[in-house]
């Protein structure tokens, strides 16, 4: 019997749709978002009527919409967003006022509506939903200026549309416009925004410090999102705005290259967002929309909705000097109407005029449904086409030719070794390694290795090693990264690590700092000191008291001749990548000669991170840092092996100084690699100045020439 009412059968049908829509439509080169909406039309009450749009679709659909907006805010690169903030606000004004003007004019002179109805409809045209944002994310172009400008424009347009909606409702209820009501709404908006901006980062940092289990963190993040959405609705705004704002605020505490982010994306894309899209399709009644006078009204509304958004994107392209694919990207992201459009037409439909008629009749209601159907169908297609071209352009700009590509792949090929011996620290070390690696497309040679070395066959030693490796692998798997587990029996730990480095061609080692067991123990410990003498690869020794994604600043201190070391470029990129993942500032304490080289390395790789510089003598750095480093900071100390280019007698006292002044601080000690193949160091003014065809100079020739 149709429609299906059994909960198990309903959920099964939805899962089959979620499974088959992408599989079938990928062969037709159609975004699966369109397939979800089309499937909703087919199985809904206005199609085959296999399913009713019952309370489950109401709940899951609303959750899916909030989840979609939350993900849009969470996946934004805040560094690049700030760089495009001014252009985004200008585009927001364009994509708000142009649809408002065209919407009011079309409603009054073509649809013959009243002025209040005209402004209500215009607010529907001005607003939009980032329904096509997952398409841009799938193509990896979310850092594109066109995408970031569209995101900022969305905030401006939605807030403006909601303010117009509130003003229209106020006029209808009171018979005249009351400025005090609108000012009160703006005041509540400012109070709400300030409270979330102040409280959410502090609550998130406090919770993540005390609770490291990812499921608990996931539930906590969702609770914050829905709290923000609920409060947003309580003060007279749309919950979607609250969910999007919550994603922006807690963005930096959920690194893109983390297991928590992978969980959030997986649950949303696998269940909640498809539920929302299917629910949108179930609301569409094609037979009513395509009948008689309704079709003419719907076509006028659709023409205004599409033309106004396209005109705003075209003007933005011309003003900012962008390309055609950027215009199509901005148009694709800002053309879909769902949440606010439904809210506007529902409010207008429920408003009764003095003569007993509705402010928005069924003709406008069904016309809005057609606008939702068409815009939601074409937005992913346009976005997909634009994203393909932007992706090709971005890759071309990043590689800059075949020789440059070969140099990058050789210089930045990463094979990271993570020695683990304690289950307590295995996960945190793996997460640190994930943050320090460079995220590049096509990096098939990159690999993570978790290593446990034992020199005993006891059951307890085997169990501890296997548990440590399991936890490290779980952290990598959660972040969708490849990791190979290595358990070996060897003479001692140092020998096991050294042999693994040579066997696997490891580029860097990330390990934890030991705990001093006796008075005669050194700061680094005998194992690390022996490892430093046994290999010339980069070694990073970590000691963190708080999760790395909760640090507020990364402070880097380096010796006076650090730029002459072979591994200079690699450690700069590793630290900058970590800062980018965490989303915090990075402050370099360096000499005037080192600063342009550090800037050049970061700039040439295109890493979006806030970096600052403090100039001074290296011998004074640690003394000054003892007063400046806070409990929530991460201190990165770049040092050198004995007899290396940058080694000085002062560095021999470094371990004792770290123990004396930074015993309670988060610490990362880096020993750069030596005597390997070198890559020419770019400068900030001309990062590609080097001759790529020339053989790289040896470290000794660089040292003699610089001296």
């Amino acid at each position: 019997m149709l429609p299906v009412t059994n909960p198990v059968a309903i959920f099964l049908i939805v899962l089959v749709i979620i499974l088959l829509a992408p599989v079938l439509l990928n062969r037709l080169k159609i975004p699966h978002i369109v397939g979800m909406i089309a499937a909703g039309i087919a199985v809904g009450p206005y199609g085959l009527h296999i399913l009713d749009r019952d309370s489950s679709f109401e709940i899951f659909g609303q959750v899916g919409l909030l989840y979609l907006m939350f993900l849009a805010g969470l996946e934004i690169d805040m560094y690049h967003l700030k760089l495009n903030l001014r252009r985004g606000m200008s585009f927001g004004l364009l994509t708000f006022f142009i649809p408002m003007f065209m919407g009011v004019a079309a409603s009054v002179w073509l649809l013959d509506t009243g002025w209040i109805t005209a402004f209500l409809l215009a607010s529907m045209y001005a607003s939009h939903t980032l329904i096509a944002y997952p398409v841009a994310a799938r193509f990896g172009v979310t850092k594109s200026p066109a995408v970031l400008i569209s995101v900022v424009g969305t905030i401006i347009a939605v807030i403006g549309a909601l303010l117009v909606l509130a003003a229209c409702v106020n006029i209808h209820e009171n018979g005249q416009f009351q400025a005090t009501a609108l000012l009160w709404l703006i005041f509540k908006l400012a109070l709400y925004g300030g409270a979330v901006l102040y409280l959410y980062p502090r609550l998130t940092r406090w919770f993540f410090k005390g609770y490291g289990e990812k499921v608990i963190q996931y539930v906590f993040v969702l609770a914050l999102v829905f709290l923000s959405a609920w409060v947003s609705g309580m003060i007279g705004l749309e919950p979607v705005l609250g969910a999007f704002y919550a994603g922006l605020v807690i963005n930096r505490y959920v690194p893109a290259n983390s297991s928590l982010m992978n969980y959030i994306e997986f649950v949303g894309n696998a269940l909640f967002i498809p539920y929302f899209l299917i629910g949108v399709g179930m609301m569409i009644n094609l037979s009513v929309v395509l009948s008689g006078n309704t079709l003419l009204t719907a076509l006028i509304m659709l023409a205004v909705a599409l033309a106004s958004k396209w005109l705003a994107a075209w003007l933005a392209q011309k003003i900012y000097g962008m390309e055609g694919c950027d215009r199509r990207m901005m148009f694709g992201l800002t053309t879909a109407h769902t949440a606010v459009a439904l809210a506007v037409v529902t409010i207008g439909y429920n408003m009764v005029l003095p003569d007993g008629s509705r402010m928005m009749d069924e003709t406008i209601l069904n016309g809005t449904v057609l606008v939702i159907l068409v815009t939601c169908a074409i937005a992913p297609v346009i976005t997909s086409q634009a994203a393909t071209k932007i992706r090709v352009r971005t890759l071309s700009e990043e590689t800059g030719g075949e020789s440059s590509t070969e140099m990058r792949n050789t210089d930045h090929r990463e094979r990271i070794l993570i020695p683990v011996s304690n289950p307590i620290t295995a996960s945190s070390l793996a997460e640190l390694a994930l943050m320090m690696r460079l995220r590049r497309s096509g990096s098939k040679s990159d690999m993570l290795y978790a290593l446990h070395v034992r020199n005993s066959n006891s059951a307890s030693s085997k169990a501890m090693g296997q548990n440590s490796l399991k936890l490290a692998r779980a952290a990598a798997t959660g972040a969708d990264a490849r990791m190979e587990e290595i358990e070996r029996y060897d003479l001692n730990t140092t020998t096991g690590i050294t042999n693994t480095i040579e066997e696997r061609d490891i580029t860097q080692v990330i390990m934890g700092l030991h705990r001093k067991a006796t008075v005669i123990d050194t700061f680094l410990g005998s194992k690390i000191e022996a490892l430093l003498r046994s290999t010339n690869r980069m070694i990073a020794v970590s000691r963190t008291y708080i999760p790395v994604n909760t640090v507020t600043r990364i402070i880097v201190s380096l010796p006076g001749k650090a730029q002459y070391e072979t591994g200079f470029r690699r450690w700069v990129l590793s630290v900058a990548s970590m800062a980018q993942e965490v989303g915090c500032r990075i402050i370099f304490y360096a000499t005037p000669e080192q600063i342009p080289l550090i800037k050049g390395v970061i700039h040439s790789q295109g890493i979006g991170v806030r970096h600052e510089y403090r100039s001074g003598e290296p011998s004074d750095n640690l003394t000054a840092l003892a007063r400046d480093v806070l409990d929530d900071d991460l201190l990165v100390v770049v040092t050198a092996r004995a007899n290396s280019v940058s080694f000085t007698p002062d560095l021999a006292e470094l371990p004792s100084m770290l123990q004396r002044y930074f015993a309670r601080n988060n610490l990362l000690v880096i020993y750069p690699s030596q005597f390997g193949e070198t890559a020419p160091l770019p400068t900030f003014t001309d990062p590609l100045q080097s001759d790529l065809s020339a053989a790289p100079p040896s470290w000794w020739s660089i040292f003699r020439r610089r001296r």
Side-chain angles (χ1 to χ4, degrees):
M1 295 292 292
L2 298 178
V4 177
T5 57
N6 184 280
V8 177
I10 292 174
F11 197 72
L12 174 62
I13 293 172
V14 172
L15 290 180
V16 171
I17 294 173
I18 296 173
L19 173 65
L20 295 182
V23 174
L24 297 178
L25 293 176
N26 281 344
R27 298 183 177 182
L28 302 176
K29 305 299 181 182
I30 299 176
H32 73 276
I33 292 178
V34 178
M36 297 292 180
I37 298 175
I41 298 175
V43 303
Y46 304 112
L48 301 176
H49 203 184
I50 299 175
L51 299 176
D52 273 326
R53 196 173 191 277
D54 56 13
S55 58
S56 66
F57 284 95
E58 294 285 347
I59 296 174
F60 278 91
Q62 181 69 9
V63 171
L65 176 58
L66 298 180
Y67 212 107
L68 174 66
M69 298 303 295
F70 163 61
L71 270 180
L74 194 64
E75 292 178 343
I76 290 173
D77 189 312
M78 298 302 294
Y79 174 80
H80 290 92
L81 179 65
K82 292 177 182 177
L83 294 180
N84 294 276
L85 186 60
R86 182 175 299 179
R87 292 192 295 176
M89 295 180 69
S90 301
F91 175 65
L93 296 177
L94 288 175
T95 198
F96 171 72
F97 281 109
I98 291 177
M100 283 294 301
F101 176 79
M102 294 180 63
V104 170
S107 299
V108 172
W109 286 298
L110 295 180
L111 299 180
D112 196 25
T113 65
W115 284 99
I116 298 180
T117 304
F119 274 94
L120 272 177
L121 270 179
S123 68
M124 185 267 289
Y125 299 137
S127 67
H128 57 264
T129 303
L130 292 173
I131 194 172
Y133 188 86
V135 177
R138 191 172 296 110
F139 279 90
V141 295
T142 54
K143 295 180 182 179
S144 166
V147 176
L148 296 170
I149 289 172
S150 301
V151 170
V152 179
T154 298
I155 302 173
I156 303 298
V158 170
I159 291 177
L162 293 176
L163 292 177
V164 172
L165 175 61
C168 292
V169 173
N170 180 257
I171 293 173
H172 175 74
E173 293 178 349
N174 300 291
Q176 61 180 355
F177 174 71
Q178 293 181 336
T180 54
L182 187 60
L183 291 175
W184 174 240
L185 178 60
I186 295 175
F187 172 76
K188 290 189 292 184
L189 173 62
L191 185 63
Y192 156 77
V196 172
L197 186 61
Y198 178 81
L199 292 175
Y200 271 33
R202 288 163 175 79
L203 282 174
T204 304
R205 188 182 298 116
W206 167 80
F207 191 88
F208 282 8
K209 286 180 182 178
Y211 302 92
E213 212 278 320
K214 298 307 177 186
V215 175
I216 300 297
Q217 290 184 351
Y218 173 79
V219 175
F220 173 78
V221 168
L222 283 193
L224 291 183
V225 172
F226 284 92
L227 174 62
S228 176
W230 177 70
V231 174
S232 177
M234 290 292 293
I235 65 175
L237 300 173
E238 277 296 306
V240 293
L241 184 63
F244 181 77
Y245 185 51
L248 286 177
V249 172
I250 64 177
N251 178 291
R252 63 161 302 230
Y253 299 102
V254 186
N257 197 18
S258 67
S259 56
L260 178 58
M261 184 66 171
N262 197 48
Y263 296 156
I264 293 174
E265 289 181 334
F266 174 79
V267 175
N269 293 325
L271 185 61
F272 290 126
I273 295 176
Y275 236 111
F276 159 68
L277 297 173
I278 295 171
V280 170
M282 295 176 72
M283 295 188 298
I284 298 174
N285 188 350
L286 292 179
S287 61
V288 174
V289 173
L290 300 178
S291 63
N293 189 40
T294 301
L295 182 59
L296 178 61
T297 301
L299 290 177
I300 294 174
M301 295 175 62
L302 180 61
V304 173
L306 294 177
S308 60
K309 290 296 183 181
W310 184 90
L311 182 58
W314 179 79
L315 286 175
Q317 176 209 350
K318 297 302 180 182
I319 293 172
Y320 305 142
M322 306 175 78
E323 299 180 8
C325 58
D326 296 314
R327 180 193 68 242
R328 290 191 291 273
M329 174 61 73
M330 291 187 288
F331 174 61
L333 288 176
T334 60
T335 194
H337 297 74
T338 54
V340 180
L342 290 174
V344 168
V345 73
T346 302
I347 291 173
Y349 184 78
N350 292 329
M351 287 182 179
V352 180
L353 299 175
D355 60 359
S357 62
R358 297 181 182 274
M359 182 173 291
M360 291 185 179
D361 57 17
E362 292 185 356
T363 301
I364 295 179
L365 178 64
N366 290 318
T368 303
V369 171
L370 180 65
V371 171
I372 293 174
L373 170 63
V374 176
T375 57
C376 288
I378 68 173
V381 177
I382 296 173
T383 303
S384 177
Q385 295 173 351
T388 302
K389 296 185 177 181
I390 292 176
R391 181 61 178 168
V392 172
R393 183 186 66 188
T394 303
L395 290 176
S396 178
E397 292 173 353
E398 287 179 352
T399 57
E402 184 178 356
S403 59
S404 177
T405 303
E406 291 174 356
M407 183 203 68
R408 287 170 183 265
N409 288 341
T410 300
D411 187 39
H412 302 311
R413 177 183 55 82
E414 293 183 299
R415 299 171 73 84
I416 303 176
L417 180 65
I418 311 163
V420 293
S421 59
N422 191 337
I424 298 176
T425 59
S427 296
S428 59
L429 283 175
E431 291 173 357
L432 178 63
L434 291 169
M435 293 182 186
M436 293 182 67
R437 67 170 184 162
L438 283 177
R439 303 188 70 194
R440 298 173 290 118
S441 60
S443 55
K444 295 181 179 179
S445 61
D446 291 356
M447 190 69 183
L448 298 175
Y449 298 91
L451 169 68
H452 176 73
V453 181
R454 57 182 176 83
N455 49 25
S456 171
N457 283 324
S458 64
S460 60
S461 179
K462 290 182 179 180
M464 180 172 291
Q466 292 173 358
N467 194 21
S468 300
L469 293 173
K470 178 182 177 181
L471 293 173
R473 183 187 59 184
T477 304
D480 198 21
R482 296 187 305 159
M483 174 177 283
E484 180 180 331
E485 301 174 52
I486 303 174
E487 183 181 12
R488 66 184 301 158
Y489 182 92
D490 219 314
L491 181 64
N492 54 59
T493 302
T494 303
T495 304
I497 296 175
T498 304
N499 291 337
T500 305
I501 290 174
E502 298 300 327
E503 293 167 359
R504 310 287 174 151
D505 194 19
I506 299 298
T507 57
Q508 55 185 297
V509 180
I510 298 177
M511 57 195 308
L513 183 65
H514 83 129
R515 291 186 178 183
K516 294 185 64 174
T518 63
V519 177
I520 62 174
D521 275 353
T522 60
F523 179 75
L524 294 175
S526 58
K527 295 179 181 178
I528 296 178
E529 291 175 348
L531 182 62
L532 291 171
R533 295 190 297 266
S534 303
T535 180
N536 58 6
R537 309 299 169 87
M538 171 178 159
I539 296 178
V541 184
S542 167
R543 183 195 65 194
T544 55
Y545 298 108
I546 63 175
V548 178
N549 62 318
T550 63
V551 301
T552 55
R553 299 182 304 174
I554 296 178
I555 300 176
V556 183
S557 173
L558 55 154
K561 298 178 182 179
Q563 68 271 28
Y564 300 134
E565 295 287 358
T566 302
F568 176 79
R569 181 184 180 89
R570 185 179 296 278
W571 74 254
V572 171
L573 292 176
S574 295
V575 174
S577 298
M578 178 172 56
Q580 183 183 34
E581 288 290 329
V582 177
C584 65
R585 286 185 300 159
I586 180 170
I587 304 174
F588 290 93
Y589 282 74
T591 62
E593 295 79 11
Q594 295 168 338
I595 292 175
L597 295 175
I598 297 173
K599 289 181 178 179
V601 171
I602 296 175
H603 179 74
S604 64
Q605 192 64 28
I607 298 179
V609 63
R610 294 176 293 168
H611 45 105
E612 303 174 5
Y613 299 88
R614 305 284 189 271
S615 181
E617 292 299 323
S619 58
D620 299 332
N621 283 353
L622 287 180
T623 305
L625 288 176
R627 301 186 300 269
D628 297 340
V629 178
L630 305 176
D631 291 341
D632 288 335
D633 294 338
L634 173 62
L635 174 61
V636 178
V637 178
V638 181
T639 181
R641 295 170 174 85
N643 301 321
S644 64
V645 176
S646 60
F647 183 81
T648 62
D650 294 336
L651 293 180
E653 302 297 326
L654 179 63
S656 60
M657 293 184 65
L658 293 176
Q659 179 62 33
R660 185 186 313 156
Y661 296 112
F662 303 99
R664 302 305 305 169
N665 293 105
N666 306 298
L667 188 63
L668 182 65
V669 182
I670 296 179
Y671 288 84
S673 58
Q674 296 177 306
F675 311 117
E677 295 183 356
T678 60
L681 289 178
T683 64
F684 180 67
T685 55
D686 188 7
L688 297 178
Q689 64 177 348
S690 53
D691 181 8
L692 299 179
S693 62
S698 65
W699 69 271
W700 178 247
S701 63
I702 294 177
F703 174 67
R704 293 189 62 184
R705 183 169 65 250
R706 297 295 179 120
R707 286 180 63 89

